[in-house]
Amino acid sequence: MKIRIMNKLLFALVFIFGINLSAQERVIVTLNVFQPLPEVSFAAFLTNPFLESTPRILQVIMVPQDRMVIVQGSILWRKVDESSFNELLSYTTKPFTSRNFYNDDFSSIDGIEIEESNSNEDLLQENLRQGKPTGTYKIIIKVFDSNMEFQSDATEDLDFLNPAQTLSIIQPSAEDQLDVAGILLTWTDVLGVADFIVKANIRSSKLESLEEALQKGNPIVDNASVGTKTSVNLREILDRELVGGEEIVVQVRGVVPGPGGPTIIYSDIINFYLNSSGSPVVDKGVEDFETLIITVIDDMKQQGEGESEAAERLQNLLSDLQNGNINFNDIRIKFEGGRQLTYAEFQEILDYLRRNPDVLTNLLYEAN
């Protein structure tokens, strides 16, 4: 009888101990959302929440670490004046060791990979068209062990029920047809903005979203700072020349200084088209550049360098320009320190060289 009682007692202790041990081994997850949120760039977070290029919105904290886990996450959206949430996106990771990470370094951490993901493209595009977050966003993180046994979860609601000041592009209007020679960009003023920044790019395919077109490489206006002005002629801030017939996307953002760092306010991204008849401006730039190359080649010949490798490369560049193999969009002109000239700067240099041809002593270029 005593042996039976001892066995039962031992079994009970082991059972209780086992439960406590299991509880201690659970991986507990918490979310640390950074306030104040970078309002409109939150829309970029929604599109690709765990890429390095997205805004840092939150930190995922796991305790204990170095346990094998699987994470399921989702972002839900409830529109203003609506009662229910709709799922914007969801994902499930492959197994990885528990650790702390920020949303913008998730995909760059060795060992963390997405197994599958789903998104509601219509709702995402609706968010991006608004240009700023509105309503309530619910972020949900669930942690499982490698056998898909539930460990813990964390939820944060992010409210944007009363969005702050908005920044809107007044002109051009979306889908406008404009001449290359003069594109006036104007936008609303926002109290407290210390600097407005303009970014523009070419949309080469209807399959690209406006956001994708704006963010791809080699923009035509690469984050040009215009101070507190609320209008600018786009030609004054170009980093490369425009060509008639292209579709352009543009966005303005305002920088509002604050004690915790600057707040960024974004306009909607708008698109417009360039009339094909506007191309003489481009042709004039190419013509001036061809004249400059011819002048340099002639000078090299007079100095006995006409057969040099540099002269040959300049002659090939001239031939490509004249034959249409290279257009002005393919040309990058840089200062010695590496900074790329804007088209406006290049035109100023050409005008100066036309007036003072003797100051040009050499011209080099590199073919990529």
Side-chain angles (χ1 to χ4, degrees):
M1 180 64 67
K2 289 183 178 179
I3 292 175
R4 288 180 182 174
I5 292 174
M6 290 296 293
N7 285 341
K8 290 180 179 179
L9 180 60
L10 179 61
F11 176 79
L13 288 172
V14 170
F15 181 72
I16 293 171
F17 179 76
I19 291 176
N20 289 338
L21 181 61
S22 176
Q24 290 173 358
E25 289 183 342
R26 289 177 58 222
V27 177
I28 306 301
V29 63
T30 56
L31 296 179
N32 178 24
V33 177
F34 304 120
Q35 300 285 355
L37 290 168
E39 275 213 351
V40 180
S41 59
F42 184 78
F45 165 77
L46 291 177
T47 308
N48 293 296
F50 295 108
L51 294 182
E52 293 178 65
S53 59
T54 55
R56 177 166 289 187
I57 299 292
L58 61 88
Q59 182 185 29
V60 177
I61 301 170
M62 295 184 186
V63 179
Q65 299 186 1
D66 297 323
R67 304 291 173 86
M68 194 59 65
V69 295
I70 295 171
V71 168
Q72 289 183 346
S74 57
I75 299 178
L76 313 182
W77 180 36
R78 184 176 66 202
K79 300 179 185 179
V80 176
D81 298 329
E82 292 193 1
S83 58
S84 60
F85 283 90
N86 292 296
E87 185 176 278
L88 284 170
L89 58 89
S90 62
Y91 63 90
T92 301
T93 70
K94 294 181 179 180
F96 66 96
T97 54
S98 58
R99 66 194 74 179
N100 300 341
F101 57 85
Y102 299 100
N103 64 276
D104 63 335
D105 64 14
F106 180 87
S107 62
S108 63
I109 296 178
D110 184 39
I112 302 183
E113 298 180 62
I114 300 294
E115 178 71 37
E116 61 177 344
S117 62
N118 297 285
S119 61
N120 187 322
E121 291 301 320
D122 291 339
L123 288 181
L124 287 175
Q125 288 302 317
E126 185 176 345
N127 270 267
L128 293 176
R129 283 195 299 270
Q130 294 186 60
K132 60 181 182 297
T134 58
T136 302
Y137 299 83
K138 183 185 294 291
I139 298 178
I140 303 172
I141 299 288
K142 296 181 180 179
V143 179
F144 301 82
D145 66 16
S146 57
N147 296 316
M148 290 305 294
E149 292 289 332
F150 177 76
Q151 300 292 293
S152 66
D153 61 8
T155 302
E156 284 284 345
D157 285 353
L158 310 178
D159 291 319
F160 294 93
L161 301 180
N162 297 296
Q165 304 173 83
T166 58
L167 174 59
S168 302
I169 293 177
I170 299 172
Q171 67 178 106
S173 298
E175 307 289 326
D176 271 356
Q177 292 279 158
L178 302 173
D179 289 335
V180 172
I183 302 167
L184 184 63
L185 180 66
T186 64
W187 56 89
T188 56
D189 199 3
V190 177
L191 184 64
V193 167
D195 192 18
F196 287 107
I197 297 172
V198 179
K199 186 170 186 178
N201 214 336
I202 295 169
R203 188 185 186 197
S204 54
S205 168
K206 291 298 182 183
L207 298 178
E208 291 180 329
S209 69
L210 300 186
E211 175 77 20
E212 289 170 337
L214 184 72
Q215 299 301 338
K216 68 184 180 182
N218 196 24
I220 58 174
V221 178
D222 191 6
N223 296 316
S225 170
V226 298
T228 56
K229 294 192 300 183
T230 56
S231 67
V232 66
N233 188 325
L234 206 63
R235 297 200 58 79
E236 297 175 358
I237 54 175
L238 288 177
D239 287 290
R240 57 192 178 95
E241 186 47 57
L242 302 173
V243 175
E246 292 178 326
E247 180 183 1
I248 306 299
V249 294
V250 63
Q251 184 179 56
V252 179
R253 66 180 187 269
V255 181
V256 181
T263 297
I264 309 299
I265 302 175
Y266 291 74
S267 76
D268 294 342
I269 302 171
I270 64 108
N271 68 317
F272 60 90
Y273 299 89
L274 301 178
N275 293 325
S276 297
S277 60
S279 58
V281 176
V282 181
D283 295 340
K284 183 64 165 59
V286 174
E287 180 183 328
D288 290 341
F289 194 42
E290 289 176 357
T291 301
L292 176 63
I293 295 175
I294 291 171
T295 300
V296 174
I297 291 175
D298 288 343
D299 287 345
M300 295 178 77
K301 288 178 179 178
Q302 293 177 10
Q303 297 172 14
E305 300 176 7
E307 303 299 323
S308 67
E309 180 182 352
E312 181 181 352
R313 294 175 67 190
L314 285 174
Q315 185 61 57
N316 290 338
L317 174 61
L318 178 62
S319 298
D320 284 337
L321 284 168
Q322 292 173 334
N323 296 332
N325 296 329
I326 296 177
N327 65 42
F328 210 86
N329 267 352
D330 300 315
I331 298 173
R332 308 288 176 268
I333 304 169
K334 297 181 178 180
F335 288 104
E336 186 176 355
R339 184 174 74 83
Q340 185 172 307
L341 273 73
T342 66
Y343 183 73
E345 290 171 332
F346 175 64
Q347 285 288 63
E348 289 179 9
I349 292 174
L350 286 181
D351 290 340
Y352 179 77
L353 291 176
R354 278 195 295 269
R355 296 191 303 269
N356 304 276
D358 295 337
V359 302
L360 182 66
T361 58
N362 199 1
L363 176 64
L364 301 174
Y365 87 100
E366 295 180 2
N368 291 328

